[in-house]
Amino acid sequence: MEFFTMCVLAAGIGMALGTVGTGIGQGLAVKSAVEGVSRNPGASGKILTTMMIGLAMIESLAIYALVICLIILFANPYKADMLAQLAKAVAK
């Protein structure tokens, strides 16, 4: 039971850290893009394109964190044993 609990906690903490980092990165990217457009409105097309590509790369980090957390939760080789123990504990 403790192993399954630790897996759930690890997945939650991993996803939280992954999204905090990507959120900060996206905020800084948008801030810099807005500053760039305000200084040179003529270059807004190039800045917007570059920002969108950068945001897609940053967002992929959150998706990778999500995939790893889902693997920890659902591709766990001990999941069936833990669920059987949990069912026995609930039935008592």
Side-chain angles (χ1 to χ4, degrees):
M1 186 67 123
E2 295 84 19
F3 181 75
F4 190 68
T5 305
M6 289 299 168
C7 287
V8 170
L9 286 174
I13 292 170
M15 196 62 218
L17 290 176
T19 55
V20 165
T22 56
I24 291 170
Q26 286 180 344
L28 291 174
V30 171
K31 177 185 88 86
S32 298
V34 169
E35 286 177 357
V37 170
S38 69
R39 290 180 186 200
N40 187 3
S44 64
K46 279 185 148 182
I47 292 172
L48 179 67
T49 303
T50 306
M51 182 192 70
M52 288 298 175
I53 293 171
L55 288 177
M57 296 296 171
I58 294 170
E59 188 64 30
S60 69
L61 294 174
I63 294 169
Y64 291 147
L66 175 66
V67 167
I68 295 300
C69 291
L70 290 175
I71 288 171
I72 289 172
L73 288 176
F74 297 113
N76 190 345
Y78 301 108
K79 183 177 131 186
D81 296 335
M82 291 300 122
L83 290 177
Q85 289 179 5
L86 181 63
K88 287 180 186 176
V90 170
K92 286 183 182 181

